[in-house]
Amino acid sequence: MSASFAEECTELKKKYDGCFNNWYSEKFLKGLSMENECADEWSEYEACFKNALRQKGLMPMLEDAREDAPFEDGGRLKGDK
Amino acid sequence: MVKFYSSNYTYDHDFGVVSLAVFLKYPNPYSSHVKSVDTVSRHIDSEGRLHTTRLLVKKGRLPKWATSFLGRINESYILEDSIVDKDNKVMQSWSRNLDHTKIMRVDEHVKYQGTNQGTTIAHTEVRILSQFSLIRDKIEAFGHKRFPENMLRSRKGMNYIMELITAGGFKLYRQTNSA
């Protein structure tokens, strides 16, 4: 599994990824669970990751990106035929 | 200037394996330039579709002519949104670079469609935009050369991960926990 961009979050990320991958393949795809069951792993990882984003000053770039929507028309790239 | 590229490819694996491979794709031996992948947000909508946003950091791999006037770009941030619609066996992903966008902005849309034959068709569309009209020929040539190379590397990486998944060699949660 891949590393987190913030080294200190990599272990938490791998724990979350492991939980998610298992839930995704064993439950979600089989229609057994429509609820993400990795909430504990997620909140630990998210807190670490968001904190690192703030410390590295990357929050504004990410927030700007959320407002910018390059993929209109049901997901086709703008200007595409 | 705007340039478009597109490509179709059929994976010999079903939708479940292919869509999981998209999430597990990095690291793989064909994509050593991808340094990290983080999940920014994830939710399931009222129609049961899984939405994920991820932030990828890639090492800069600009050609020499570009570094001569742009300086050395060490890394680039990529934001990727994806939606998995498991009932229709469709996964779509949209990604774009967040920085260095004036030099070159690359938007990529991939649609994975599972078939009844147990294969999955991937349709990729890439759009390259640049405000640097003086170097547009170079950027176009760069794009032409790089697009097929990137597609090939991406497929090799996906196939590598899918082999791991189907061989049961992927560490899932229980195994990582007991380790």
Side-chain angles (χ1 to χ4, degrees), chain A residues 5 13 24 41 45 65 80, chain B residues 19 37-38 42 96 125 173:
Chain A
F5 93 104
K13 178 201 137 68
Y24 181 79
E41 289 83 353
Y45 162 54
D80 199 3
Chain B
S19 62
V37 183
D38 280 282
R42 180 167 267 152
R96 62 199 191 274
E125 287 177 333
Y173 187 52

Side-chain angles (χ1 to χ4, degrees), chain B residues 107-170:
Chain B
D107 294 330
E108 184 187 76
H109 172 222
V110 189
K111 183 177 179 182
Y112 303 90
Q113 172 75 64
T115 69
N116 293 331
Q117 289 76 45
T119 60
T120 304
I121 300 163
H123 177 66
T124 305
E125 287 177 333
V126 171
R127 175 180 64 178
I128 302 177
L129 295 102
S130 179
Q131 296 179 14
F132 280 67
S133 55
L134 286 172
I135 55 163
R136 62 175 280 172
D137 289 351
K138 282 189 168 176
I139 287 181
E140 282 188 26
F142 175 61
H144 275 300
K145 185 169 170 288
R146 280 280 288 275
F147 181 70
E149 286 174 5
N150 286 347
M151 284 291 104
L152 188 64
R153 206 175 44 233
S154 172
R155 285 168 197 156
K156 282 183 174 173
M158 283 287 285
N159 279 314
Y160 174 85
I161 296 296
M162 286 185 262
E163 291 304 313
L164 283 182
I165 293 170
T166 51
F170 231 97

Side-chain angles (χ1 to χ4, degrees), chain A residues 8-60:
Chain A
E8 66 273 22
C9 304
T10 294
E11 275 315 303
L12 291 173
K13 178 201 137 68
K14 287 188 174 177
K15 236 171 137 179
Y16 168 70
D17 278 356
C19 180
F20 170 79
N21 297 336
N22 196 49
W23 169 83
Y24 181 79
S25 50
E26 297 303 319
K27 295 190 173 175
F28 177 75
L29 285 178
K30 294 175 181 171
L32 298 175
S33 166
M34 294 312 287
E35 206 174 296
N36 196 331
E37 293 170 11
C38 305
D40 292 347
E41 289 83 353
W42 170 254
S43 59
E44 283 187 52
Y45 162 54
E46 187 192 27
C48 186
F49 172 62
K50 296 271 155 83
N51 188 40
L53 278 180
R54 274 189 288 271
Q55 277 179 4
K56 293 177 196 238
L58 292 171
M59 248 350 188

